[in-house]
Amino acid sequence: MTAPAHSVSRETSLPRPAAPRVITVANQKGGVGKTTSAVNLATALAFGGLRVLAIDLDPQGNASTGFGIEHGPGTPSIYDVVVGGRPLAEVAVRSPESAQLRVVPATVDLAGAEIELVPLAARENRLRRALRAFLASDPVDYVLIDCPPSLGLLTVNALVAAREVLIPIQCEYYALEGLGQLTRNVELVQAHLNPELAVTAILLTMYDGRTRLAEQVADEVRRFFGPKVLTTVVPRSIRLSEAPGYGQSVLSYDATSRGAVAYATAAAELVERGAPTEVTQPDEAK
């Protein structure tokens, strides 16, 4: 399978959206390339000249590692925002990847946030309120939120804060397992907390063109999700596995690798598709 003939490099200029696009990258299954996708899509968008805010909402802090951002105990982090009410601007730091990219890290403190959020008022809206306050004074082009591999309060906060959901799906056995539950949760959030929310993109990851299985899974996902599936597929790549160990995206670690080209192309495709138009703009008074 060949990818479209467009990609992002440090010299490429991508068109800015009319309004900030807030995209939650979610899949409750682990090991599907969720964090890898969030890190590399955010970096590719920044390399394309867009202003990007990446939020690590996973207590494991893997996205923070991938961006090369300090996230040891005591580091100002997303925990201070969703639990402590601290402004996002105070914990967002510039990524060494690009001056266009800022990252809100996650620390181990976030592991207890699911319990600490329970008694708080408007617990599902903590991230949305913080993000709206941030965007009111610093309107970036894209916000990408990396979720934990679960459907708890942190993921609900990410879904309430976003208008779009991007779901990475691995091209392996049981690819669609559990996705029914995720889509039902998206529908529940849409019905009760965030009517603007929609699944707008599916990204096929860990594609191995040498196997019939990968093509069969890709076909199955396309039958299930239709045009929401991005044309670009992300191949299995040793460079994608190596890059986080150096605190880099694969686009910085090896820009010519298959993984880097795939994520650059996927980012360009995401930009070209644009934001959903069938829903109204979020009501800032909510």
Side-chain angles (χ1 to χ4, degrees), residues 214-281:
E215 190 62 39
Q216 290 173 340
V217 170
D219 289 343
E220 182 181 12
V221 172
R222 291 190 180 98
R223 281 195 299 271
F224 192 84
F225 287 104
K228 293 180 181 178
V229 183
L230 297 179
T231 304
T232 310
V233 298
V234 178
R236 282 196 170 277
S237 166
I238 189 64
R239 292 292 188 261
L240 285 173
S241 301
E242 291 174 345
Y246 293 88
Q248 293 182 308
S249 70
V250 73
L251 290 96
S252 292
Y253 180 65
D254 186 350
T256 63
S257 67
R258 293 185 305 146
V261 172
Y263 275 114
T265 307
E269 186 177 353
L270 194 64
V271 169
E272 288 175 5
R273 287 188 171 206
T277 56
E278 70 275 9
V279 294
T280 58
Q281 289 290 335

Side-chain angles (χ1 to χ4, degrees), residues 22 53 55 57 77-92 102 104 117 121-140 143 145 157-158 160-162 284 286:
V22 182
L53 177 71
I55 299 175
L57 203 60
S77 70
I78 192 63
Y79 171 84
D80 301 296
V81 175
V82 298
V83 176
R86 191 169 180 176
L88 270 172
E90 293 184 6
V91 299
R102 278 175 290 175
V104 178
L117 283 170
R123 60 194 180 192
E124 302 92 351
N125 291 279
R126 307 282 290 187
L127 181 58
R128 174 164 68 176
R129 290 180 176 179
L131 184 56
R132 286 183 173 179
F134 177 88
L135 293 175
S137 59
D138 197 342
V140 298
V143 179
I145 307 171
N157 263 266
V160 172
E284 294 298 329
K286 288 184 181 179

Side-chain angles (χ1 to χ4, degrees), residues 12-204:
T12 301
S13 179
L14 293 173
R16 285 195 162 90
R21 291 179 65 182
V22 182
I23 303 173
T24 285
V25 183
N27 191 327
Q28 78 272 22
K29 279 187 72 177
V32 300
K34 176 182 58 62
T35 295
T36 298
S37 296
V39 168
N40 288 292
L41 288 173
T43 303
L45 292 168
F47 282 2
L50 299 173
R51 300 163 297 182
V52 181
L53 177 71
I55 299 175
D56 187 354
L57 203 60
D58 187 344
Q60 299 177 84
N62 290 334
S64 303
T65 298
F67 284 118
I69 298 297
E70 170 61 36
H71 60 105
T75 302
S77 70
I78 192 63
Y79 171 84
D80 301 296
V81 175
V82 298
V83 176
R86 191 169 180 176
L88 270 172
E90 293 184 6
V91 299
V93 296
R94 294 282 179 186
S95 168
E97 297 276 327
S98 169
Q100 296 286 93
L101 174 60
R102 278 175 290 175
V103 178
V104 178
T107 64
V108 68
D109 297 326
L110 197 60
E114 295 278 358
I115 297 173
E116 294 179 71
L117 283 170
V118 170
L120 299 183
R123 60 194 180 192
E124 302 92 351
N125 291 279
R126 307 282 290 187
L127 181 58
R128 174 164 68 176
R129 290 180 176 179
L131 184 56
R132 286 183 173 179
F134 177 88
L135 293 175
S137 59
D138 197 342
V140 298
D141 299 306
Y142 282 81
V143 179
L144 269 69
I145 307 171
D146 183 41
C147 294
S150 68
L151 294 175
L153 271 174
L154 290 174
T155 297
V156 170
N157 263 266
L159 295 175
V160 172
R163 286 192 67 202
E164 303 180 57
V165 181
L166 182 149
I167 305 176
I169 299 178
Q170 81 279 31
C171 294
E172 296 180 349
Y173 284 116
Y174 309 122
L176 297 177
E177 188 180 58
L179 283 180
Q181 185 180 1
L182 174 59
T183 54
R184 282 192 297 273
N185 276 39
V186 170
E187 290 166 0
L188 285 171
V189 169
Q190 184 183 50
H192 300 288
L193 296 168
N194 182 8
E196 291 84 21
L197 184 67
V199 176
T200 56
I202 308 295
L203 178 62
L204 293 164

